[in-house]
Amino acid sequence: ARPRIEKGGCRVFISPSRAIRAANDRWWTYETLRLTGLEVPRSVCGVSRAAAAGFLPFPAVSFPRWRGSDGAEVVHERLEDLPPKLSPDRVYCERYPGDRYEVHLFAAAGGEASSLVALALRRPASSEWEPVEAPEIEDVARAVSRTIALEGAASIEIQRDRQGRPRVLGVEARPGDRVGGAPSVVAALLRAGP
């Protein structure tokens, strides 16, 4: 469909279907990023509680494997809170106390980001996000974008672990909910139009 749309004179600013599928499957995202050397939470999916015991630190959190699926994020304080067999439809991962970021970007084909803004969650209780200078976080987001080959507007969620290292929590191959807090990304999208 993309070539037909572009042949009609319209520009398409959306990631290729492979990148969208990758971003929508959190387990695939974690495994792909981990295998390419990017830091993600220690996580498991579809294994027994006994198998998770030696690998998954607590507290842990679980959420639906596929973006857009029904189901809430659940905090598990200890191993006994997990079911005997972990669902293959949920990802269970370590939970971090550190600063949380959402990086909004606009990427060219191949995932090279031409505009990027990091937002930090300043007061979690109020869901207050603000733009910040965070070069290390931005570098991680650029690497994720290239690895998954994002294109157009996208967002990447990153959180610092207990030692302050950035870990990738998730990827959205579309503008994130708070892209309005990243006006330079919106402007890059508008500049790239016909």
Side-chain angles (χ1 to χ4, degrees), residues 2 6 11-16 19-20 105-112 145 148-154 172-175:
R2 184 183 194 115
E6 289 176 339
R11 303 273 313 267
V12 177
F13 298 106
I14 189 165
S15 293
I20 293 169
L105 58 85
F106 183 80
E112 196 59 49
S145 181
I148 297 179
L150 295 171
E151 186 175 338
E172 290 195 52
R174 63 172 183 77

Side-chain angles (χ1 to χ4, degrees), residues 128-143:
E128 188 177 309
W129 295 79
E130 64 183 44
V132 293
E133 293 291 324
E136 183 181 27
I137 298 298
E138 293 171 7
D139 289 345
V140 170
R142 288 178 196 281

Side-chain angles (χ1 to χ4, degrees), residues 22-123:
N24 285 343
D25 182 343
R26 290 178 170 118
W27 179 244
W28 188 96
T29 300
Y30 281 179
E31 287 298 288
T32 298
L33 296 179
R34 184 182 61 77
L35 291 172
T36 59
L38 289 162
E39 298 288 342
V40 297
R42 280 188 281 175
S43 49
V44 294
C45 182
V47 299
S48 69
R49 179 171 53 200
F55 183 74
L56 190 62
F58 289 86
V61 63
S62 68
F63 39 79
R65 177 177 175 170
W66 290 276
R67 289 202 176 275
S69 299
D70 288 336
E73 184 175 292
V74 177
V75 175
H76 309 277
E77 295 295 335
R78 57 191 202 285
L79 180 66
E80 295 74 26
D81 292 343
L82 298 179
K85 172 73 173 150
L86 279 58
S87 170
D89 295 330
R90 292 187 70 81
V91 175
Y92 298 78
C93 66
E94 62 186 313
R95 187 169 188 232
Y96 299 126
D99 293 338
R100 197 166 187 164
Y101 302 87
E102 230 178 53
V103 180
H104 297 271
L105 58 85
F106 183 80
E112 196 59 49
S114 61
S115 180
L116 182 143
V117 174
L119 302 178
L121 180 59
R122 286 299 177 204
R123 295 191 304 163

